[in-house]
Amino acid sequence: MMPPDAPSAAGPEYLGVQFTLPDLGQIEFARVLRDLMQDAAFARPLKVRASEPRPGVPGMLTLAFLPADRERAGQAVQRLKTILLRYGAQVDQIRLPGER
């Protein structure tokens, strides 16, 4: 999988905000994904990329968006924080576009 801010020859260049979620187990992670998929804040043109938690590897969620949708993505990030709090998740790390 390409990083969310990597250019693609096949399409537009997306930016992404990546959340690392070490405190979420598989069940809670699935519930967070369910809530995201039902919430209009995450509708197109925004995209959600998910990496399930595995033993020794935390789950990650990336909110991918085009530069023109930065304001809408900011609102979605705030909504995602609310959803994560609902399940007692502590956000260990947030990577913003351009950070390595």
Side-chain angles (χ1 to χ4, degrees):
M1 173 173 23
M2 291 187 339
D5 54 354
S8 170
E13 185 174 334
Y14 281 84
L15 302 174
V17 179
Q18 184 179 67
F19 290 78
T20 302
L21 307 165
D23 296 338
L24 280 185
Q26 290 181 337
I27 292 172
E28 293 84 8
F29 191 83
R31 289 176 179 159
V32 168
L33 285 179
R34 178 198 62 210
D35 289 0
L36 288 177
M37 304 320 293
Q38 295 175 352
D39 195 313
F42 303 97
R44 292 190 187 272
L46 304 181
K47 296 182 179 196
V48 176
R49 298 177 183 168
S51 296
E52 291 183 18
R54 297 193 175 136
V57 179
M60 288 192 284
L61 291 172
T62 302
L63 181 61
F65 56 95
L66 293 170
D69 298 315
R70 183 179 291 270
E71 183 176 331
R72 182 172 178 185
Q75 294 168 352
V77 164
Q78 293 305 315
R79 182 71 185 125
L80 177 54
K81 288 179 184 179
T82 301
I83 291 170
L84 292 171
L85 285 173
R86 180 181 307 152
Y87 295 101
Q90 178 176 332
V91 177
D92 184 46
Q93 180 182 32
I94 299 174
R95 285 188 46 215
L96 300 173
E99 290 183 351
R100 297 286 169 207

